[in-house]
């Protein structure tokens, strides 16, 4: 039965059909059935996650440099508060990371008033070209991104989210680094910035968008599910398991019965649901199924949704649904974190439907690979410190920056003594281009 209803990637298999035990349906409807499914490592989907950390960090740095009026920044401008947005390991210096990719980040030095050589970085011509292409792709798809943000806010109880919460999701949503300044002001009739009672700045949706209040599961149901299921609202999620995943009879029966429960759209009021039932759990699964569909690559770090419990009207320990439904979600433990991946969106380690922004990110990954390999082969020679004339415009900009901000971290300037940063992140960049 499951095989005939649900789609599957080439690395998945489905549980076989079993007969229902009497009384199981009754218990399923009115209580949260105590079924535990084991976590099984999925090496294929792990490869879809590996490499994301370096790619995101390099993309954010590129955006910061490109947005600077002078087109270059000193290394200390990328440390402190901004460093936390890069997602790099704590033991990896930002300058060490940037020097891995000399075909993206061009380094030069400017002495400060005390004679200390301060590392500065600017984008190479190739990086500037790719950044301009990324900006153009975003402009061409602005309505799509506007709809994604609208739907994210519509998932919340009051159509409002703190900017800090959206910041955690902006990479996954495909938003630019400076979306608050470069994107939100374009839609003053749709969004507004407001201040919450705790003094945090939040983004509010000004009015409900009826045409957007349709989940991806509901959209797909017309072509993928039976007329009876659509008519009764008992929509089913696509389920698939990696090879070697064994399901016990009880788990198979529970899953089959759980799929026949009523589906509650994440865009409708759910206050009438009892959080202690499987019907409520199906609503939570539907909420995250929709949230992951709003992301461009159908995945996000688990910690990114930790602040969404109250806005999404979710019960305590709501993320337990990821463990209870490993056929819908996969939790990758790569990169020293947990990343939730929507299984149905992948065929192997590749997205079934690739967003234009994902295409740009793939090009950037290839550029990173080229720079890393070229550097290891000695193709990029370190040039001596820049000696600008006193009237040189860039020299004046650098000196002005140094005088105004001073030096924040001497460790960042010990560039020649930094250890090399190697990881499976780099290996994944290679795989993306093969």
């Amino acid at each position: 039965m499951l095989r005939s209803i649900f789609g599957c990637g080439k690395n998945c298999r489905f549980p076989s059909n079993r007969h229902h035990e009497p009384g199981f349906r009754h218990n399923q409807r009115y209580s949260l059935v105590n079924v535990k499914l084991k976590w099984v490592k999925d090496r294929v989907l792990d490869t879809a996650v590996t490499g994301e950390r370096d790619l995101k960090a390099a993309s954010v740095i590129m955006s910061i440099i490109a947005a600077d009026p002078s087109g270059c920044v000193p290394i200390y401008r990328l440390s402190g508060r901004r460093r936390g947005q890069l997602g790099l390991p704590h033991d990896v210096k930002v300058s060490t990371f940037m020097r891995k990719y000399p075909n993206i980040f061009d380094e030069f030095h400017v002495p400060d008033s005390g004679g200390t050589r301060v590392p500065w970085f600017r984008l190479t011509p190739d990086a500037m070209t790719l950044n301009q292409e990324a900006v153009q792709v975003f402009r061409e798809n602005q309505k799509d991104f506007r709809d994604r943000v609208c739907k994210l806010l519509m998932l919340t109880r009051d159509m409002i989210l703190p900017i800090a919460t959206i910041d955690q999701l902006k990479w996954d949503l495909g938003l630019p680094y400076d979306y608050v300044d470069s994107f939100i002001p374009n839609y003053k009739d749709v969004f507004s910035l407001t201040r919450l009672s705790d003094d945090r700045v939040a983004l509010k949706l000004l009015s409900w968008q009826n045409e957007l209040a349709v989940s991806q599961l509901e959209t797909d149901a017309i072509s993928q599910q039976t007329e009876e299921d659509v008519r009764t609202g008992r929509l089913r999620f696509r389920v698939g398991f990696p090879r070697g995943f064994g399901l016990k009879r009880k788990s198979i029966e529970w899953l089959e019965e759980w799929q026949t429960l009523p589906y509650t759209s994440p865009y409708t009021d759910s206050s009438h649901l009892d959080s202690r039932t499987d019907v409520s759990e199906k609503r939570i699964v539907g909420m995250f199924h929709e949230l992951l569909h709003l992301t461009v690559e159908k995945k996000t770090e688990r910690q990114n949704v930790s602040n969404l419990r109250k806005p999404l009207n979710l019960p305590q320990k709501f993320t337990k649904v990821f463990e209870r439904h490993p056929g819908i979600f996969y939790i990758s433990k790569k990169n020293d974190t947990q990343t939730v991946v929507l299984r149905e969106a992948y065929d192997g380690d590749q997205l079934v439907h690739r967003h234009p922004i994902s295409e740009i990110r793939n090009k950037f990954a290839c550029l990173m690979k080229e720079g890393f390999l070229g550097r290891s082969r000695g193709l990029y020679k370190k040039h001596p410190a820049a000696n600008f004339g006193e009237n040189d415009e860039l020299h004046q900009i650098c000196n002005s920056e140094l005088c105004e901000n001073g030096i924040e971290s001497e460790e960042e300037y010990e560039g020649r003594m930094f250890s090399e940063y190697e990881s499976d992140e780099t290996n994944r960049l290679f795989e993306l281009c093969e």
Side-chain angles (χ1 to χ4, degrees), residues 235-251:
L235 304 186
R236 303 163 182 263
F237 295 93
R238 294 179 61 189
V239 177
F241 297 95
R243 298 183 185 280
F245 195 104
L247 280 178
K248 296 180 180 179
R249 179 189 179 100
K250 179 183 177 181
S251 298

Side-chain angles (χ1 to χ4, degrees), residues 70 72-74 76 108-112 118 120-122 388 392-405:
S70 66
C72 56
V73 298
Y76 57 77
F108 62 97
H109 296 80
V110 178
D112 65 5
V118 180
W120 283 63
F121 291 89
R122 57 195 165 198
F388 300 106
D392 187 277
E393 181 180 357
L394 184 58
H395 183 248
Q396 293 176 6
I397 292 174
C398 296
N399 274 342
S400 174
E401 174 78 24
L402 289 170
C403 291
E404 180 180 349
N405 296 285

Side-chain angles (χ1 to χ4, degrees), residues 231-288:
R231 185 181 63 80
T232 60
R234 302 180 187 280
L235 304 186
R236 303 163 182 263
F237 295 93
R238 294 179 61 189
V239 177
F241 297 95
R243 298 183 185 280
F245 195 104
L247 280 178
K248 296 180 180 179
R249 179 189 179 100
K250 179 183 177 181
S251 298
I252 295 174
E253 292 169 345
W254 165 74
L255 179 57
E256 291 180 349
E257 291 290 344
W258 183 89
Q259 289 278 29
T260 65
L261 294 173
Y263 168 77
T264 304
S265 169
Y267 298 108
T268 60
D269 179 29
S270 62
S271 58
H272 63 286
L273 296 180
D274 186 341
S275 62
R276 297 167 298 180
T277 65
D278 276 351
V279 175
S280 176
E281 183 187 64
K282 189 169 183 178
R283 179 251 174 184
I284 299 173
V285 170
M287 178 71 74
F288 285 110

Side-chain angles (χ1 to χ4, degrees), residues 70-189:
S70 66
C72 56
V73 298
I75 190 61
Y76 57 77
R77 287 266 299 279
L78 299 171
S79 58
R81 180 178 61 85
R82 277 181 168 171
R83 183 204 161 83
Q85 299 177 16
L86 303 181
L88 291 174
H90 295 298
D91 58 345
V92 176
K93 293 183 173 65
V94 178
S95 53
T96 305
F97 172 78
M98 296 177 70
R99 289 177 183 132
K100 288 174 59 180
Y101 310 109
N103 64 332
I104 298 176
F105 306 113
D106 180 35
E107 179 182 3
F108 62 97
H109 296 80
V110 178
D112 65 5
S113 58
T116 302
R117 296 198 318 156
V118 180
W120 283 63
F121 291 89
R122 57 195 165 198
L123 298 181
T124 63
D126 286 345
M128 286 190 286
T129 299
L130 187 57
N131 181 71
Q132 292 169 358
E133 185 178 349
V135 171
Q136 181 61 31
V137 168
F138 183 80
R139 286 175 180 168
E140 294 171 353
N141 293 272
Q142 273 205 70
K143 183 181 182 301
D144 171 61
F145 291 109
R146 183 204 67 182
D147 290 349
R148 288 173 189 267
V149 177
C150 283
K151 295 183 71 133
L152 173 65
L153 296 175
M154 288 169 64
L155 291 176
T156 68
R157 183 170 48 195
D158 301 314
M159 297 193 301
I160 188 171
L161 277 176
I163 289 296
T165 300
I166 301 176
D167 281 348
Q168 292 180 299
L169 293 165
K170 64 183 178 182
W171 167 263
D172 300 318
L173 294 171
L175 299 177
Y177 169 79
D178 59 347
Y179 73 98
V180 174
D181 299 318
S182 65
F183 172 66
I184 298 301
N186 297 336
Y187 299 99
K188 294 182 179 179
D189 59 332

Side-chain angles (χ1 to χ4, degrees), residues 51 53-55 57-58 61 88 94-107 121-122 124 127 364-373 375 380 420-423 425-427 429-430:
R53 183 175 61 195
D54 280 14
L55 180 60
I61 294 173
L88 291 174
V94 178
S95 53
T96 305
F97 172 78
M98 296 177 70
R99 289 177 183 132
K100 288 174 59 180
Y101 310 109
N103 64 332
I104 298 176
F105 306 113
D106 180 35
E107 179 182 3
F121 291 89
R122 57 195 165 198
T124 63
F364 192 41
C366 292
L367 189 62
M368 292 172 68
K369 170 188 174 180
E370 177 185 327
F372 181 83
L373 290 178
R375 179 179 181 274
Y380 299 94
E420 294 299 319
Y421 169 45
E422 309 290 350
S423 72
E425 292 285 303
T426 304
N427 294 332
L429 292 176
F430 300 171

Side-chain angles (χ1 to χ4, degrees), residues 148-360:
R148 288 173 189 267
V149 177
C150 283
K151 295 183 71 133
L152 173 65
L153 296 175
M154 288 169 64
L155 291 176
T156 68
R157 183 170 48 195
D158 301 314
M159 297 193 301
I160 188 171
L161 277 176
I163 289 296
T165 300
I166 301 176
D167 281 348
Q168 292 180 299
L169 293 165
K170 64 183 178 182
W171 167 263
D172 300 318
L173 294 171
L175 299 177
Y177 169 79
D178 59 347
Y179 73 98
V180 174
D181 299 318
S182 65
F183 172 66
I184 298 301
N186 297 336
Y187 299 99
K188 294 182 179 179
D189 59 332
V190 179
F191 309 113
S192 70
L193 292 173
T194 185
R195 196 168 291 276
L196 302 175
S197 58
D198 57 7
D199 213 33
R200 289 183 298 169
V201 178
L203 184 66
K204 181 177 180 61
L205 184 65
L206 295 178
S207 61
W208 184 262
Q209 310 286 319
N210 281 325
E211 69 278 9
L212 298 179
V214 182
S215 70
Q216 189 65 45
L217 188 65
E218 291 172 315
T219 300
D220 295 339
I222 298 176
S223 60
Q224 297 179 1
Q225 306 205 25
T226 66
E227 292 184 9
E228 177 67 15
D229 287 338
V230 173
R231 185 181 63 80
T232 60
R234 302 180 187 280
L235 304 186
R236 303 163 182 263
F237 295 93
R238 294 179 61 189
V239 177
F241 297 95
R243 298 183 185 280
F245 195 104
L247 280 178
K248 296 180 180 179
R249 179 189 179 100
K250 179 183 177 181
S251 298
I252 295 174
E253 292 169 345
W254 165 74
L255 179 57
E256 291 180 349
E257 291 290 344
W258 183 89
Q259 289 278 29
T260 65
L261 294 173
Y263 168 77
T264 304
S265 169
Y267 298 108
T268 60
D269 179 29
S270 62
S271 58
H272 63 286
L273 296 180
D274 186 341
S275 62
R276 297 167 298 180
T277 65
D278 276 351
V279 175
S280 176
E281 183 187 64
K282 189 169 183 178
R283 179 251 174 184
I284 299 173
V285 170
M287 178 71 74
F288 285 110
H289 180 273
E290 180 69 4
L291 180 62
L292 289 175
H293 264 291
L294 294 181
T295 65
V296 294
E297 296 185 356
K298 317 309 176 193
K299 63 178 183 286
T300 189
E301 289 187 22
R302 188 171 185 167
Q303 63 184 11
N304 291 344
V305 300
S306 61
N307 295 325
L308 293 175
R309 187 181 72 82
K310 289 185 178 180
L312 298 184
N313 193 29
L314 299 173
Q316 296 283 353
K317 299 181 180 180
F318 61 93
T319 59
K320 289 295 183 181
V321 297
F322 300 141
E323 283 92 356
R324 279 173 58 86
H325 295 276
I328 301 173
F329 309 108
Y330 172 63
I331 300 178
S332 173
K333 300 181 180 180
K334 303 293 288 185
N335 303 337
D336 300 320
T337 187
Q338 292 188 10
T339 302
V340 184
V341 184
L342 186 62
R343 284 192 183 276
E344 70 178 46
Y346 284 82
D347 184 7
D349 64 347
Q350 298 296 315
L351 283 165
V352 176
H353 303 291
R354 188 177 291 276
H355 193 279
I357 285 293
S358 294
E359 296 290 354
I360 292 294

